[in-house]
Amino acid sequence: MSRSSARAATEPLAALVAVFAVTAGLALYAGTLDETLAGVGGDRDVAGPTADAVERRVTSGGVVDPERVPDALAAVPSGYEGNVTLRAERQWSAGPTPPATADTDNRTVSVALGPATVRRGRLRVAVWR
């Protein structure tokens, strides 16, 4: 064996230890990065897009049908709890009472109160984990 090839050889155990060290370092970095991003992502707006989906579900011809409010909870994303409340001379609600920390979205909508009777109302969607 020549002298230069003897120096270039690496012991298998030393190579395995080096690979393990690099892998452990990457795993720690990925775990720390994941925790950091999870904390930042907690402030994202969930109620706005959910309210859009709820409004599409309860609206027909641009007017909200109060009878569809119980079906609106199907628009709440999985992993979340939700409450939908519609107010226009009366109140319709579906879902559990939201906590004070719930992400909410309020919007003005037209509500069908009867045949040829449409009033302005308020649609409130609350979403929380």
Side-chain angles (χ1 to χ4, degrees), residues 79-96:
Y80 288 88
E81 298 272 346
N83 176 282
V84 177
T85 303
L86 176 65
R87 290 183 184 160
E89 294 182 11
R90 289 185 40 205
Q91 179 173 308
W92 299 265
S93 187

Side-chain angles (χ1 to χ4, degrees), residues 28-51:
L28 287 172
Y29 175 76
T32 303
L33 182 63
D34 184 49
E35 288 177 17
T36 302
L37 292 177
V40 172
D43 292 339
R44 74 179 199 143
D45 178 28
V46 178
T50 303

Side-chain angles (χ1 to χ4, degrees), residues 4 10 31 36 45 49 64 70 72 76 80 89 95 97-99 107 109-110 123:
S4 63
T10 304
T36 302
D45 178 28
V64 174
V76 175
Y80 288 88
E89 294 182 11
T97 303
R107 52 188 64 189
V109 293
S110 299
L123 180 66

Side-chain angles (χ1 to χ4, degrees), residues 12-28:
L13 183 58
L16 287 174
V17 169
V19 168
F20 175 76
V22 169
T23 304
L26 285 174
L28 287 172

Side-chain angles (χ1 to χ4, degrees), residues 48-58 75 107:
T50 303
D52 292 339
V54 164
E55 188 173 359
R56 283 191 301 273
R57 186 172 282 276
V58 299
R107 52 188 64 189

